[in-house]
């Protein structure tokens, strides 16, 4: 199931045992995405490079229609 976020982003996530396991974010317009860490500082695997950590957020530029996937 997907939710709509500010800027038209489509967001989907899975949780198990009270822990966020995956997050998928699709950007219909492209641009800079700023995501507050949903993994509570746990190690994350991304489906692409150049995802930067800035304080408590992850920041990345997405192309129009691109999906970012993060998994713990």
């Amino acid at each position: 199931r997907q939710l709509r976020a500010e800027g038209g982003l489509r967001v989907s996530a899975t949780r198990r045992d009270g822990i966020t396991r995956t997050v998928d974010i699709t950007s219909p317009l492209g641009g800079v995405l700023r995501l507050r860490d949903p993994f509570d500082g746990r190690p994350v695997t991304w489906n692409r490079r150049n995802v930067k950590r800035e304080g408590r957020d992850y920041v990345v530029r997405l192309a129009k229609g691109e999906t970012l996937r993060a998994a713990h």
Side-chain angles (χ1 to χ4, degrees):
R1 178 174 131 159
Q2 291 186 339
L3 301 174
R4 290 272 184 185
E6 188 174 331
L9 297 168
R10 292 189 309 265
V11 180
S12 178
T14 59
R15 288 179 60 86
R16 188 172 63 242
D17 300 323
I19 297 171
T20 301
R21 302 297 178 161
T22 64
V23 175
D24 292 292
I25 302 171
T26 302
S27 176
L29 304 175
V32 176
L33 168 68
R34 180 173 293 273
L35 173 67
R36 181 62 43 99
D37 181 3
F39 302 102
D40 295 325
R42 293 177 185 85
V44 180
T45 302
W46 301 95
N47 68 333
R48 59 162 295 170
R49 297 180 188 189
N50 301 325
V51 179
K52 306 287 186 207
R53 181 79 186 229
E54 292 184 5
R56 295 171 46 196
D57 298 341
Y58 292 104
V59 180
V60 64
R61 179 172 293 279
L62 298 177
K64 181 178 180 179
E66 185 176 6
T67 298
L68 178 70
R69 181 174 181 83
H72 159 73

